[in-house]
């Protein structure tokens, strides 16, 4: 309760005392307020620091959420693309929706009563008892008898044999090297004094102990199976023979020299023989000494065809990607070359037409479609282009399944429905609007650059619509290249081309490459190259060299 004070009634001393009391009270109040303000300031600073800490934590959490989201989207896209690629490369229909794939799958397998229906792949071969018995002739017979064990367990029992079962087991005989003593008699004649008669060395390489079969094994290990020479070096040293790596490389170079005659016959056959088409492609090869000449990647051209009816797979080291060698080689050739979109094939000698690989064109659109989901595909022009070009491939699969001759193939290709599919694809692609420097622009530009060369196959039943056979040959070379990585110099690269050519041509003609090379190395010194070709009579009449047909 406030008390009203009458100051006029107070004495001077009372007034002074009252003022002092009020001043002290005021000072106490100010002190309390100052202390309270100080406490509030401290609390405010704490709140500011806490707010800054929470803001920093919030920012860190937002960044972490962004990283998790980006990682999730990347993994999702990667899984999606992987699933698409898995089917695109194998079933060739991953661009379709799930339901479309089901329908398409049913369409691909016509009823079994259709004589023109493509057949299913054969199951793994099961060898008959008679076949296995024939293969087991002359080999040790394993006796798998339980009687000794039974007698040891039950010595008082009497066992009577009531029959036996016969099975077969396949064993691997460890590869090894055998040393043979070679006796080479010398003769002289009284009729011609001073002349010594003696056979050539058994070894294909003079002043060497390596035999034809060992040399053939070294070459096929490297150029057929892609085994690096240093691994072969470890194996041969493990057999107790200390050959240096340099010696083994020297043997390979000598082997290539022995095969140069066969290589030259094949090269001449390509340039002057008659073949409905040649598949041509190129792949790179690193040559160490060429790097110093600013040639990071040298190139090997690959040619696949059947000149004069002889199957060949030809490899030619050219040092660069320049197509001058191809133009020079084919200057007398009249026919078609199946190639990709490389501009080096644009200007070829007169009389040569081009079939641009339709698979390369398809791949341009497929690479775009792989990145789309089902909703995006509905409005995608690349998806529609892919669907239309696949009709052409489906027609080709149907024709191939009939095993027709080239005349009938050409007739099938020029039927109204087939040509309608071709025209539909061409018209659609040519009317697509596209942006420059975009994936779709690259695909359309690739088509426009090839133009009519993509459809040369409509004029000849011998010509394939793609260059897959040649690309598979290139892939084989690339697989082997992963093993030997590089060649030291141009001579080594040329030797690799010679050996790969002879080995793959032998395979193409149904020969065991190691047996064929053994035969060639045994006869190279006294037999002309023309008689050692994979298709020559002396080779075809030797059953040891022929690959046994399956089934």
């Amino acid at each position: 309760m406030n008390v009203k004070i009458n100051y006029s009634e107070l004495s001077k001393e009372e007034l002074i005392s009252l003022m002092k009391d009020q001043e002290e009270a005021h000072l106490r109040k100010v002190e309390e307020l100052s202390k309270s303000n100080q406490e509030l300031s401290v609390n405010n600073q704490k709140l500011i620091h806490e707010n800054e800490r929470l803001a920093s934590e919030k920012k860190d959490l937002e960044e972490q959420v962004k990283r998790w989201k980006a990682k999730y989207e990347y993994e999702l896209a990667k899984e999606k693309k992987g699933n698409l690629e898995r089917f695109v490369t194998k079933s060739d229909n991953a661009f379709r929706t799930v339901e479309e794939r089901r329908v398409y799958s049913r369409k691909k397998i016509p009823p079994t009563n259709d004589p023109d229906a493509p057949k299913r792949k054969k199951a793994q071969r099961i060898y008959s008892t008679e076949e296995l018995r024939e293969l087991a002739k002359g080999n040790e017979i394993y006796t798998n008898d339980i009687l000794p064990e039974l007698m040891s367990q039950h010595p008082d029992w009497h066992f009577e044999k009531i029959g036996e079962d016969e099975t077969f087991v396949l064993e691997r005989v460890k590869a090894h090297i055998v040393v043979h003593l070679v006796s080479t008699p010398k003769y002289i004649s009284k009729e011609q004094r001073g002349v010594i008669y003696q056979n050539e060395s058994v070894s294909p390489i003079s002043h060497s102990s390596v035999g034809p079969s060992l040399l053939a094994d070294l070459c096929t290990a490297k150029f057929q199976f892609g085994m690096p020479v240093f691994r072969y070096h470890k194996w041969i040293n493990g057999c107790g023979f200390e050959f240096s790596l340099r010696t083994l490389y020297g043997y390979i170079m000598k082997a290539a020299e022995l095969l140069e005659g066969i290589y030259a016959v094949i090269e001449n056959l390509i340039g002057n023989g008659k073949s409905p088409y040649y598949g041509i492609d190129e792949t790179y090869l690193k040559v160490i000494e060429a790097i110093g000449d600013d040639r990071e990647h040298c190139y090997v051209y690959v040619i696949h065809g059947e000149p004069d009816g002889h199957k060949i797979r030809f490899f030619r080291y050219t040092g660069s990607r320049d197509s001058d060698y191809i133009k020079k080689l084919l200057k007398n050739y009249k026919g078609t070359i199946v190639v990709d979109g490389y501009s080096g094939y644009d200007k070829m000698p007169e009389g040569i037409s081009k079939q641009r690989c339709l698979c390369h064109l398809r791949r341009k659109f497929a690479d775009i479609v792989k990145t789309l989901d089902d909703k995006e595909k509905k409005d995608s022009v690349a998806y529609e282009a892919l669907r239309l070009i696949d009709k052409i491939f489906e027609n080709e699969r149907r024709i191939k399944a009939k095993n027709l001759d080239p005349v009938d193939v050409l007739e099938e290709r020029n039927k109204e429905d087939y040509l309608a599919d071709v025209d539909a694809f061409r018209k659609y692609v040519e009317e697509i609007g596209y942006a420059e420097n975009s994936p779709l622009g690259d695909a359309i530009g690739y088509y426009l650059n090839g133009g009519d060369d993509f459809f040369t196959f409509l004029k000849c039943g011998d010509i394939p619509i793609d260059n897959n056979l040649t690309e598979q040959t290139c892939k084989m070379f690339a697989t082997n290249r992963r093993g030997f990585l590089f060649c030291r110099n141009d001579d080594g690269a040329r030797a690799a081309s010679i050996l790969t050519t002879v080995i793959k041509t032998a395979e193409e003609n149904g020969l065991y490459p190691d047996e064929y090379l053994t035969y060639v190395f045994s006869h190279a010194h006294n037999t002309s190259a023309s008689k050692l070709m994979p298709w020559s009579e002396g080779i075809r009449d030797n059953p040891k060299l022929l690959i046994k047909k399956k089934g």
Side-chain angles (χ1 to χ4, degrees):
M1 181 177 178
N2 294 328
V3 179
K4 190 175 181 180
I5 300 174
N6 189 357
Y7 293 101
S8 62
E9 297 178 354
L10 297 176
S11 64
K12 182 179 180 180
E13 290 77 9
E14 289 175 335
L15 286 171
I16 292 172
S17 176
L18 181 61
M19 288 177 67
K20 286 183 178 179
D21 291 339
Q22 289 180 348
E23 185 178 1
E24 288 176 358
H26 178 70
L27 290 173
R28 285 195 300 271
K29 189 68 174 177
V30 169
E31 186 178 353
E32 288 176 0
L33 289 173
S34 176
K35 186 176 180 181
S36 176
N37 187 48
Q38 190 175 5
E39 289 177 354
L40 289 173
S41 178
V42 172
N43 289 336
N44 186 48
Q45 289 295 325
K46 289 181 179 178
L47 289 173
I48 291 173
H49 291 317
E50 182 68 14
N51 188 46
E52 289 177 350
R53 185 184 65 80
L54 291 173
S56 177
E57 288 184 358
K58 179 184 177 183
K59 185 177 180 180
D60 291 342
L61 287 171
E62 288 176 346
E63 291 294 329
Q64 190 172 11
V65 168
K66 286 182 180 178
R67 288 195 298 270
W68 286 346
K69 184 179 179 181
K71 184 178 180 181
Y72 171 76
E73 290 175 348
Y74 171 77
E75 294 294 336
L76 188 65
K78 184 178 178 182
E79 180 181 0
K80 171 185 168 184
K81 184 177 180 181
N83 289 336
L84 287 170
E85 288 177 342
R86 182 181 64 184
F87 288 101
V88 166
T89 55
K90 293 182 180 179
S91 65
D92 217 26
N93 66 349
F95 60 90
R96 297 178 169 84
T97 62
V98 173
E99 182 58 33
E100 285 175 320
R101 286 204 299 270
R102 288 181 185 141
V103 175
Y104 183 69
S105 178
R106 289 193 292 269
K107 288 181 179 179
K108 281 184 71 176
I109 307 177
T112 54
N113 58 358
D114 183 357
D116 297 329
K119 303 298 185 293
R120 292 181 179 271
K121 289 184 178 179
K122 291 183 179 180
Q124 179 178 337
R125 181 185 176 190
I126 299 176
Y127 287 83
S128 67
T129 302
E130 291 73 19
E131 289 177 306
L132 292 172
R133 193 185 305 280
E134 184 66 26
L135 292 170
K137 280 185 178 180
N139 298 332
E140 177 187 358
I141 298 176
Y142 290 174
T143 302
N144 187 25
D145 197 345
I146 196 175
L147 184 60
E149 182 181 348
L150 292 173
M151 292 299 294
S152 64
Q153 294 176 357
H154 309 285
D156 298 333
W157 291 17
H158 297 281
F159 296 95
E160 179 183 353
K161 183 177 179 180
I162 59 173
E164 63 182 24
D165 293 332
E166 286 188 347
T167 57
F168 299 88
V169 62
L170 278 64
E171 295 277 19
R172 180 187 181 277
V173 179
K174 182 180 178 181
H176 60 283
I177 297 175
V178 178
V179 179
H180 292 280
L181 172 65
V182 180
S183 175
T184 308
K186 300 179 180 180
Y187 299 93
I188 61 172
S189 172
K190 294 180 180 180
E191 288 75 16
Q192 194 172 12
R193 294 289 183 179
V195 178
I196 299 176
Y197 298 91
Q198 188 179 27
N199 247 338
E200 294 279 353
S201 171
V202 173
S203 173
I205 301 174
S206 60
H207 308 293
S208 169
S209 58
V210 63
S213 61
L214 182 58
L215 185 60
D217 187 63
L218 170 62
C219 294
T220 52
K222 179 176 172 67
F223 296 104
Q224 183 184 7
F225 301 111
M227 178 188 289
V229 175
F230 80 87
R231 290 185 184 169
Y232 198 88
H233 173 256
K234 289 181 67 174
W235 171 76
I236 202 169
N237 278 266
C239 293
F241 297 91
E242 296 183 2
F243 287 89
S244 67
L245 271 172
R246 184 174 181 178
T247 299
L248 294 180
Y249 280 117
Y251 287 162
I252 290 174
M253 296 299 293
K254 291 292 185 181
E257 290 179 14
L258 291 169
L259 298 174
E260 279 188 346
I262 295 175
Y263 185 78
V265 171
I266 295 174
E267 187 175 29
N268 182 66
L269 192 61
I270 293 172
N272 298 294
K274 294 182 179 180
S275 179
Y277 78 93
Y278 287 123
I280 305 176
D281 203 354
E282 69 285 336
T283 184
Y284 74 87
L285 176 64
K286 183 175 286 188
V287 179
I288 297 299
E289 291 186 2
I291 295 177
D293 301 332
D294 295 328
R295 290 185 293 158
E296 181 66 24
H297 283 148
C298 297
Y299 282 84
V300 173
Y301 272 93
V302 181
I303 301 177
H304 180 281
E306 296 186 20
D308 294 346
H310 303 311
K311 298 178 181 179
I312 59 99
R313 292 193 182 185
F314 184 75
F315 296 76
R316 173 70 183 206
Y317 170 71
T318 58
S320 72
R321 203 182 181 190
D322 196 300
S323 60
D324 287 348
Y325 167 76
I326 297 296
K327 295 173 184 176
K328 183 178 178 181
L329 177 65
L330 300 179
K331 64 181 180 181
N332 296 323
Y333 174 65
K334 306 297 179 184
T336 303
I337 57 172
V338 184
V339 294
D340 56 22
Y342 172 46
S343 59
Y345 302 121
D346 288 347
K347 295 182 179 180
M348 298 302 292
E350 187 178 353
I352 295 179
S353 60
K354 293 180 288 292
Q355 166 63 48
R356 299 287 183 178
C357 178
L358 216 57
C359 269
H360 279 73
L361 177 60
R362 181 191 182 279
R363 198 174 298 143
K364 293 288 184 181
F365 294 104
D367 288 342
I368 300 173
V369 173
K370 288 177 186 178
T371 63
L372 306 178
D373 57 30
D374 288 346
K375 290 183 180 179
E376 293 171 326
K377 290 174 187 175
K378 293 180 180 179
D379 301 320
S380 170
V381 293
Y383 175 82
E384 181 62 17
L386 192 59
R387 188 184 69 81
L388 292 172
I389 198 173
D390 259 21
K391 288 187 176 181
I392 301 174
F393 280 92
E394 184 62 31
N395 287 331
E396 281 297 309
R397 280 191 286 267
R398 176 178 53 79
I399 293 172
K400 186 177 180 180
K402 295 181 179 180
N403 294 319
L404 303 175
D405 59 41
V407 175
D408 292 332
V409 169
L410 183 61
E411 184 180 343
E412 288 285 330
R413 285 174 173 174
N414 283 277
K415 285 185 176 179
E416 185 176 348
D417 56 345
Y418 193 120
L419 294 177
D421 290 337
V422 173
D423 291 339
F425 169 73
R426 299 193 68 174
K427 183 178 180 181
Y428 181 80
V429 173
E430 289 168 2
E431 293 177 353
I432 293 176
Y434 60 92
E436 297 289 342
N437 299 321
S438 66
L440 182 60
D442 291 342
I444 303 300
Y446 190 85
Y447 165 77
L448 295 176
N449 288 336
D452 293 336
D453 287 347
F454 281 113
F455 303 96
T456 306
F457 68 91
L458 295 174
K459 302 175 184 178
C460 180
D462 288 299
I463 301 173
I465 66 173
D466 56 52
N467 202 21
N468 285 351
L469 286 175
T470 311
E471 285 199 356
Q472 289 167 11
T473 305
C474 271
K475 185 176 181 181
M476 177 279 305
F477 185 88
T479 302
N480 288 349
R481 186 180 59 218
R482 292 194 195 105
F484 60 78
L485 298 179
F486 57 83
C487 291
R488 183 179 180 85
N489 50 39
D490 290 338
D491 290 338
R494 175 171 166 76
S497 297
I498 292 172
L499 284 158
T500 308
T501 294
V502 175
I503 288 171
K504 298 311 295 182
T505 299
E507 271 190 321
E508 190 79 354
N509 285 272
L511 303 177
Y512 290 112
D514 55 342
E515 295 289 353
Y516 171 67
L517 287 184
T518 300
Y519 183 90
V520 171
F521 292 149
S522 300
H523 297 81
H525 291 303
N526 53 20
T527 308
S528 65
S530 61
K531 294 182 179 179
L532 295 175
M533 303 307 294
W535 46 80
S536 63
E537 290 184 5
I539 299 297
R540 308 307 299 181
D541 292 340
N542 191 334
K544 185 180 179 182
L545 308 182
L546 300 176
I547 296 176
K548 295 178 181 178
K549 294 183 179 180
K550 297 179 180 179

